[in-house]
């Protein structure tokens, strides 16, 4: 055992690099896109995280969307604590996984059965296998800039998953793994044929900044899938239970065939889920011939956290989230305008993005152009030095939570005003 010693962020990062590739367990955390050493979190509470040097940050990462109620919410902590006292993993069915599945089905119209996994990556990977099994087809259609986890067939042109590293794909993925994957531009309705098993899409693209679907895009995908008998998959790992009670399908009034969830549904613990109609889901083992499994799937701690979180997400909570996001959007827009900086702050409900461009991007090529202009790293560090933590990369978004109050929003806008003016003076 190494002794616990007082560290700085930079010394701890150097130490981590000796035993962890790149010093991090998920690449974006290495700050490659923005430069510098990452801050190492020691604890978090509500809208704040605290690092090893004792700095406090207003946090808009919120575990990339999992922390919709803020960090260490007392009800979630208590639910996990009580679950922990009963054991941490059984490898057997539990009541809470049934309750969580029932809650998801009750909230999302069209979801009749759910299978729990350990991550969003697992959920999408398994859902694609299910779609192929149901249709008897092999081709996948995905959209450039949409990230569906790091499974081989979906990693190509995967938005924030790889773009932060300056990559278009990943070494180690053989040509055969992506031979049946077709990548098309977001907000463009592709021509499909009878080879297509499934069209995978983020209904709101939130892994290339925030790119909303243009009017008619999701409806067009639904119609195109219907025409050739392909299945439509909504990757709602980010939008699920965050936009509104029924997620993006309810928000846009377009119903897919398969849904994938994560983030919010686990309350900050590792959970993923995919769901569909009974006709589709009963094709999974042990009922059907499509195999999927997981030793820790339906983990009792994660399901307890997920249930506690969903129980707090009522109509008032969603109104509060959207109001907070609107206030933040307006404040940031005013800060950029006052500093003479051209920037767009798109918003979809409680989700926010920042693009340093004169128009809001609609596809990955436009996003990449905005990301490459070098403005985001300067703004990121300007905010971080003033106690506001944004995601360390221009392809990510902001996640205001129920814990962010008017006080934190005002402090954030003040920091943004100063950071923006500093950029203007240095230009």
């Amino acid at each position: 055992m190494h002794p616990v010693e007082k560290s700085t962020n930079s010394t701890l990062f150097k130490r981590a690099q000796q035993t962890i590739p790149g010093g991090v367990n998920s690449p974006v955390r290495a700050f490659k896109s923005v430069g510098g050493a990452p801050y190492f979190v020691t604890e978090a509470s509500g809208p704040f995280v605290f690092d090893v040097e004792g700095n406090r940050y207003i946090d808009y990462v919120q575990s990339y969307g999992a922390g919709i109620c803020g960090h260490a919410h007392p009800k979630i902590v208590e639910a996990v604590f009580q679950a922990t006292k009963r054991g941490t993993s059984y490898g057997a069915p539990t009541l809470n996984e049934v309750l969580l599945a029932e809650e998801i089905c009750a909230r999302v119209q069209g979801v009749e059965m759910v299978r729990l996994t350990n991550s969003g990556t697992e959920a999408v990977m398994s859902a694609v296998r299910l779609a192929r099994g149901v249709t008897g087809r092999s081709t996948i259609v995905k959209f450039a800039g949409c990230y569906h986890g790091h499974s081989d067939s979906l990693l190509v042109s995967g938005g924030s998953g790889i773009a932060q590293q300056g990559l278009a794909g990943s070494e180690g993925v053989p040509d055969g793994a992506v031979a049946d994957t077709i990548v098309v531009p977001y907000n463009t309705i592709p021509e499909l044929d009878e080879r297509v098993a499934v069209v995978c899409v983020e209904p709101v693209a939130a892994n290339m900044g925030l790119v909303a679907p243009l009017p008619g895009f999701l409806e067009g995908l639904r119609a195109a899938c219907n025409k050739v008998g392909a299945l439509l998959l909504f990757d709602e790992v980010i939008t699920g239970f965050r936009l509104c009670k029924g997620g993006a399908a309810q928000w846009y009034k377009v119903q897919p065939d398969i849904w994938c969830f994560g983030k919010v549904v686990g309350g900050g613990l590792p959970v993923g889920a995919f769901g569909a109609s009974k006709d589709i889901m009963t094709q999974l083992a042990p009922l059907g011939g499509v195999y999927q499994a997981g030793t820790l799937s339906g983990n009792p701690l994660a399901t307890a956290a997920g249930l506690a979180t969903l129980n707090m997400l009522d109509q008032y909570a969603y109104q509060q989230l959207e109001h907070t996001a609107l206030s933040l959007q307006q404040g940031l827009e005013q800060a950029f305008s006052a500093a003479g900086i051209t920037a767009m702050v798109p918003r979809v409900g409680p989700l926010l993005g920042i693009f340093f461009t004169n128009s809001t991007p609609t596809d990955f090529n436009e996003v990449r152009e905005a990301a490459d202009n070098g403005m985001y790293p300067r703004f990121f560090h300007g905010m971080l030095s003033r106690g506001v933590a944004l995601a360390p990369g221009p392809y990510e978004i902001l996640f205001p939570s129920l814990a962010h109050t008017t006080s934190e929003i005002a402090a954030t806008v003040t920091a943004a005003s100063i950071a923006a003016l500093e950029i203007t003076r240095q230009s």
Side-chain angles (χ1 to χ4, degrees), residues 42-329:
T42 56
E43 61 179 305
S45 178
F48 305 111
V49 293
F50 301 82
D51 71 11
V52 295
E53 297 176 7
N55 299 307
R56 187 189 78 170
Y57 305 101
I58 302 173
D59 180 35
Y60 291 100
V61 181
Q62 291 289 326
S63 194
Y64 291 90
I68 194 169
C69 298
H71 295 292
H73 191 286
K75 291 184 179 180
I76 299 174
V77 171
E78 179 63 18
V80 173
F81 175 67
Q82 294 300 328
T84 302
K85 293 195 297 183
R86 297 188 291 270
T88 59
S89 181
Y90 315 126
T94 67
L95 171 61
N96 268 359
E97 63 190 293
V98 177
L99 294 177
L100 184 56
E102 289 176 344
E103 183 67 20
I104 293 172
C105 291
R107 284 173 172 261
V108 184
Q109 183 178 357
V111 175
E112 297 176 335
M113 301 184 84
V114 172
R115 176 64 63 84
L116 299 180
T117 65
N118 295 295
S119 68
T121 291
E122 284 186 30
V124 181
M125 177 184 70
S126 303
V128 167
R129 181 184 300 160
L130 177 59
R132 284 171 156 167
V134 168
T135 62
R137 304 172 181 181
S138 59
T139 299
I140 305 166
V141 174
K142 74 173 295 283
F143 296 88
C146 286
Y147 179 64
H148 303 293
H150 59 85
S151 60
D152 285 359
S153 61
L154 292 166
L155 191 57
V156 58
S157 191
S160 66
I162 54 176
Q164 310 275 25
Q165 313 309 308
L167 305 173
S170 173
E171 295 179 4
V173 177
D175 292 342
V178 295
D180 292 318
T181 302
I182 298 172
V183 182
V184 296
Y186 193 76
N187 274 318
T188 298
I189 301 168
E191 290 287 337
L192 307 180
D193 59 32
E194 285 72 15
R195 296 173 300 168
V196 176
V198 62
V199 175
C200 302
V201 66
E202 288 184 83
V204 179
N207 284 284
M208 51 172 158
L210 189 69
V211 179
L214 294 175
F217 174 57
L218 298 179
E219 293 86 349
L221 293 182
R222 177 71 277 173
C225 287
N226 290 346
K227 183 177 179 181
V228 300
L231 301 183
L232 179 60
L233 183 155
F234 273 10
D235 181 345
E236 294 219 46
V237 168
I238 287 178
T239 57
F241 313 108
R242 178 171 284 274
L243 286 183
C244 59
K245 182 177 180 180
Q250 177 185 341
W251 188 271
Y252 289 105
K253 297 180 173 58
V254 176
Q255 185 167 303
D257 299 293
I258 305 178
W259 289 254
C260 294
F261 303 111
K263 309 290 188 185
V264 168
V265 78
L269 274 72
V271 172
F274 62 103
S277 66
K278 288 183 179 179
D279 285 345
I280 291 175
M281 294 299 287
T282 51
Q283 302 304 305
L284 282 171
L287 299 177
V290 179
Y291 188 73
Q292 184 275 336
T295 299
L296 296 176
S297 296
N299 177 269
L301 307 189
T303 52
L307 280 167
T309 299
L310 291 181
N311 286 338
M312 288 186 276
L313 297 180
D314 55 16
Q315 182 178 357
Y316 172 75
Y318 288 113
Q319 290 173 346
Q320 180 182 338
L321 284 167
E322 185 161 7
H323 176 74
T324 299
L326 175 61
S327 297
L328 182 56
Q329 177 194 33

Side-chain angles (χ1 to χ4, degrees), residues 3-23:
V4 176
E5 57 188 39
K6 187 173 179 60
S7 301
T8 65
N9 290 312
S10 60
T11 59
L12 191 52
F13 188 39
K14 290 178 181 177
R15 177 175 170 180
Q17 290 172 326
Q18 301 305 307
T19 50
I20 303 171

